[in-house]
Amino acid sequence: MERPGRLLQLSELRVRNTAYEVSLSRSLLTWKKRVSSSVYHTFKPSLCHSVAVSEIISVREEEENSSKDDGSWRKIRERQERDCRRAFTVSYVERGRNHRWRCAEVSFICPDASLCQRWVHSILEQLAALSCRPKHLLVYINPHGGKKQGNRIYEQKVAPLFAQAGVTTQVIVTEYANHARDHLRTDAELKQFDGVVCVGGDGMFSEILHGLIWRMQLDSAVNPNSPEEALQPCSLRIGIIPAGSTDCICFATVGTNDPVTSALHIIVGDSQPMDVCSVHHNDSFLKYSVSLLGYGFFGDVLSDSERKRWMGPARYDLSGLKMFLTHHYYEGTVSYLPAKGIMGTPRDSGRCRSGCVVCEYNGEAFTQKGEKYKLDESFDTESDDEWRTVRGKFLAINAASMSCACPRTPKGLSPAAHLADGTTDLILVRKCSRFDFLRHLIRHTSKDDQFDLAFVEVHRVSRFRFVPRQCQSDSDLNLPEAHKRQIFGPLCRDHPACGCSPHYSSWNCDGEVLNHTAIDVRVHCQLIKLFARGIEEMTVLEEVTSPCAI
Ligand SMILES: CCCCCCCCCCCCC/C=C/[C@@H](O)[C@H](COP(=O)(O)O)NC(=O)CCCCC
Ligand SMILES: Nc1ncnc2c1ncn2[C@@H]1O[C@H](COP(=O)(O)OP(=O)(O)O)[C@@H](O)[C@H]1O
Ligand SMILES: [Ca+2]
């Protein structure tokens, strides 16, 4: 816990009917119960509370609460005394279970009004000095995401907190798919905002991501269609209020899918850098991805579930079961460039957590590489012998640029993946029996290692490509055309007229279906920032929450 430093205020104030010694430094607001000194320093740490100034939401001056006045002399005298006193209330972040944050309050009663005003003024001054906090936000709400609760969640749980913290907003409720993306690309006057907030699921986040990255590249004269371009990082942070079906990006960066927790991370101005994969097909841009790029099982689950949108989040369970039973595998060639000179492997026991040293180390290494790239153009041109190739039949090809933790798999698809290390974990699940695939899937929900199976391999990579096997020329087609060939063309050679695996799956790109199967994927280290701080370690939680150590 941070040392208090020079005191800006120190007074004896009351919390309810108890006297406390209250102090304010640049980093901490502390209140300690007044008890006899012999007892005070030895035990009862619960008598001392402390809140980081960076986690104070607001402070307001108010009349001291009082019981009803019955007109008696004693009550009149009490009221006269009370008129001279004033209270101020501090709202701050309180940590609950499972990474949840709540807004707690404490009211301090001051002996006179001028002391109260000095306290309020000092705290406001410290809050104003926190330059990372957003003042004006652009908010997009998808009213149709998840259980269609986006509007209600924002109005009831988020807007009151923003108002309390003095954060002003421009709110746009989207009217059609890609409304937010297109507004950000061309119309939004971004200079006036300190961040963009999306209320919805991973698909809605994807819209904001695409709008912001595209706008940034155009403003900086970078060609987003070239897979070789070093993209310009986005300056505006993105906040996610979870109101979708999976909400994996929120869960993996905050540790929980809770709108109040996310709103508080936005208010305190957290910042979490994040890698972004660009996905190209034949040198033309398709999409960006920050979480899962999945071909085979997860691609099929997504395409099937799109037809069941009316079911809400339960569509994934039904499509998941259906695709598990269907047991399709797909043939193709995966080539990848192993990430070099980095810390960490996909089989590490360590996890990406708040203030992750792996992300810091690798992020710096990539920044230096970026600078070198400018000086020496040959630095980034990968020679052919660095590429590795795997051909085969796959049930699933997954690239997890972060853990992809979500309520379905709290440890994630790749539990040791990092949010901001410039790499993605390429997971290849080869054709195996249904029983073995079930073992692999179930391990996502238990302590067992889902990679410790003979038919699964995982590589930490900075770039990869996939080409489906069937008729190489098909891979140049877009999916609808390829599907047509599949339906009307001859059935595959290896499996004559048995109704077995189709030639093509589709890619699930952060919950959006890609319409090409042959893709070229490159990781861009720390291209965007979220209003988040990564998942906090439990030990940090214990230290930061009051009571404080004396
Ligand atoms: C028998 C036990 C099986 C347990 C399987 C556990 C594996 C689940 C992995 C889930 C990974 C999720 C990665 C995130 C994907 C989302 O981006 C995407 C869209 O989300 P949203 O826009 O909020 O709807 N969700 C999915 O693709 C759903 C995958 C569900 C798979 C069953
Ligand atoms: N007003 C709207 N009407 C219809 N679709 C929308 C609207 N706004 C956003 N979308 C689209 O809805 C899809 C799903 O949104 P998302 O918020 O991710 O919910 P879910 O998690 O349930 O999939 C996204 O592809 C997004 O582009
Ligand atoms: Ca990563």
Side-chain angles (χ1 to χ4, degrees):
M1 160 121 1
E2 227 170 324
R3 292 270 144 245
R6 189 172 71 87
L7 290 186
L8 303 167
Q9 290 285 347
L10 176 64
S11 315
E12 185 178 317
L13 307 176
R14 283 196 304 112
V15 177
R16 284 180 227 100
N17 282 323
T18 313
Y20 278 80
E21 184 186 278
V22 188
S23 64
L24 176 71
S25 71
R26 283 191 201 291
S27 56
L28 286 178
L29 172 70
T30 306
W31 58 106
K32 295 176 190 167
K33 201 168 183 178
R34 304 279 297 180
V35 286
S36 78
S37 58
S38 59
V39 180
Y40 183 64
H41 285 287
T42 49
F43 51 89
K44 296 211 176 174
S46 64
L47 303 180
C48 174
H49 301 262
S50 139
V51 169
V53 168
S54 61
E55 292 184 1
I56 292 178
I57 305 302
S58 64
V59 56
R60 62 178 189 276
E61 196 179 342
E62 54 200 342
E63 293 290 321
E64 186 197 342
N65 276 342
S66 58
S67 54
K68 255 198 171 165
D69 201 335
D70 61 7
S72 69
W73 278 112
R74 191 171 58 82
K75 288 283 174 193
I76 290 170
R77 208 172 55 245
E78 274 177 10
R79 194 183 60 209
Q80 283 167 346
E81 280 171 12
R82 214 168 42 229
D83 283 347
C84 308
R85 298 198 299 247
R86 281 289 184 280
F88 67 93
T89 297
V90 176
S91 306
Y92 59 94
V93 169
E94 188 176 71
R95 285 168 173 77
R97 281 168 183 230
N98 298 328
H99 309 284
R100 277 177 169 242
W101 283 12
R102 279 283 163 271
C103 185
E105 284 193 345
V106 55
S107 292
F108 298 101
I109 300 157
C110 305
D112 62 72
S114 73
L115 180 65
C116 184
Q117 279 158 10
R118 279 206 302 282
W119 266 96
V120 172
H121 179 77
S122 295
I123 295 174
L124 284 177
E125 217 171 43
Q126 294 315 302
L127 295 186
L130 300 171
S131 56
C132 60
R133 290 198 172 193
K135 293 183 182 66
H136 192 42
L137 294 169
L138 177 55
V139 180
Y140 293 99
I141 303 175
N142 176 4
H144 301 294
K147 295 180 181 159
K148 303 186 191 299
Q149 298 293 305
N151 273 322
R152 188 192 61 80
I153 288 172
Y154 183 76
E155 291 307 330
Q156 291 183 4
K157 300 190 170 186
V158 179
L161 283 172
F162 282 172
Q164 184 183 344
V167 177
T168 54
T169 52
Q170 181 189 329
V171 179
I172 297 176
V173 179
T174 61
E175 287 164 16
Y176 47 88
N178 291 325
H179 181 176
R181 183 199 67 184
D182 295 344
H183 185 255
L184 279 167
R185 271 190 184 184
T186 45
D187 302 330
E189 282 189 34
L190 295 182
K191 280 202 178 73
Q192 53 172 314
F193 298 105
D194 304 307
V196 180
V197 172
C198 69
V199 185
D202 293 341
M204 191 57 192
F205 172 85
S206 176
E207 282 202 28
I208 307 297
L209 176 82
H210 283 80
L212 273 183
I213 297 181
W214 198 265
R215 176 77 171 266
M216 194 68 202
Q217 307 321 306
L218 293 192
D219 289 354
S220 333
V222 172
N223 173 14
N225 272 316
S226 162
E228 310 305 329
E229 282 270 6
L231 299 180
Q232 192 66 28
C234 294
S235 44
L236 287 182
R237 282 169 288 173
I238 308 174
I240 310 174
I241 303 296
S245 300
T246 314
D247 298 316
C248 153
I249 301 160
C250 179
F251 195 95
T253 52
V254 175
T256 182
N257 286 339
D258 172 49
V260 168
T261 306
S262 289
L264 293 173
H265 279 284
I266 295 170
I267 289 168
V268 303
D270 273 348
S271 188
Q272 170 65 50
M274 216 158 67
D275 298 334
V276 177
C277 287
S278 60
V279 187
H280 286 79
H281 168 82
N282 284 350
D283 283 349
S284 69
F285 170 76
L286 293 182
K287 275 229 180 267
Y288 297 113
S289 161
V290 295
S291 58
L292 168 69
L293 261 166
Y295 188 78
F297 181 70
F298 288 110
D300 293 348
V301 170
L302 184 73
S303 343
D304 190 73
S305 69
E306 283 298 297
R307 294 187 282 273
K308 303 182 173 68
R309 262 201 174 273
W310 56 270
M311 290 180 71
R315 69 191 184 276
Y316 290 132
D317 300 316
L318 197 64
S319 297
L321 177 66
K322 179 175 163 188
M323 288 309 147
F324 168 73
L325 294 173
T326 313
H327 199 61
H328 282 158
Y329 64 86
Y330 301 93
E331 299 192 54
T333 304
V334 183
S335 27
Y336 62 89
L337 205 50
K340 278 197 178 152
I342 53 143
M343 244 167 106
T345 79
R347 307 296 293 274
D348 289 342
S349 56
R351 300 288 176 254
C352 184
R353 292 290 178 261
S354 266
C356 174
V357 288
V358 172
C359 291
E360 196 183 330
Y361 176 90
N362 293 349
E364 272 172 25
F366 274 100
T367 318
Q368 281 158 17
K369 187 175 163 185
E371 278 165 14
K372 196 168 175 196
Y373 179 66
K374 278 183 213 140
L375 301 173
D376 173 11
E377 296 271 300
S378 66
F379 185 85
D380 218 24
T381 54
E382 299 93 5
S383 62
D384 282 349
D385 57 355
E386 284 177 302
W387 283 85
R388 296 193 191 155
T389 301
V390 183
R391 278 189 196 87
K393 297 171 180 171
F394 303 99
L395 284 174
I397 298 170
N398 299 323
S401 298
M402 54 162 77
S403 70
C404 294
C406 62
R408 286 171 205 277
T409 166
K411 67 175 179 177
L413 276 183
S414 189
H418 288 270
L419 289 168
D421 67 339
T423 74
T424 188
D425 288 352
L426 183 61
I427 305 158
L428 307 178
V429 185
R430 288 180 186 270
K431 186 186 165 202
C432 62
S433 68
R434 267 197 195 84
F435 176 73
D436 277 342
F437 189 49
L438 184 62
R439 274 170 71 210
H440 169 65
L441 286 179
I442 286 178
R443 286 188 183 193
H444 288 84
T445 61
S446 74
K447 284 204 172 113
D448 297 329
D449 180 358
Q450 61 258 45
F451 304 140
D452 189 17
L453 292 162
F455 53 92
V456 180
E457 53 187 283
V458 57
H459 309 279
R460 190 154 282 181
V461 310
S462 55
R463 193 161 180 171
F464 75 94
R465 294 186 181 123
F466 174 74
V467 183
R469 178 182 161 230
Q470 277 74 27
C471 329
Q472 291 297 315
S473 56
D474 269 10
S475 64
D476 296 335
L477 301 172
N478 65 16
L479 264 189
E481 190 56 35
H483 279 315
K484 248 190 263 165
R485 279 200 189 190
Q486 222 170 277
I487 295 162
F488 299 114
L491 287 164
C492 71
R493 253 178 294 133
D494 298 346
H495 308 86
C498 61
C500 69
S501 275
H503 295 332
Y504 302 101
S505 172
S506 47
W507 284 95
N508 174 338
C509 177
D510 293 359
E512 303 292 302
V513 180
L514 287 188
N515 55 7
H516 283 90
T517 48
I519 58 168
D520 177 0
V521 179
R522 175 178 170 188
V523 189
H524 299 264
C525 186
Q526 305 189 1
L527 191 66
I528 58 161
K529 285 198 180 84
L530 297 192
F531 284 111
R533 59 173 62 172
I535 298 174
E536 289 182 310
E537 294 281 8
M538 286 308 176
T539 49
V540 173
L541 296 187
E542 280 155 20
E543 252 180 61
V544 173
T545 41
S546 54
C548 61
I550 301 176

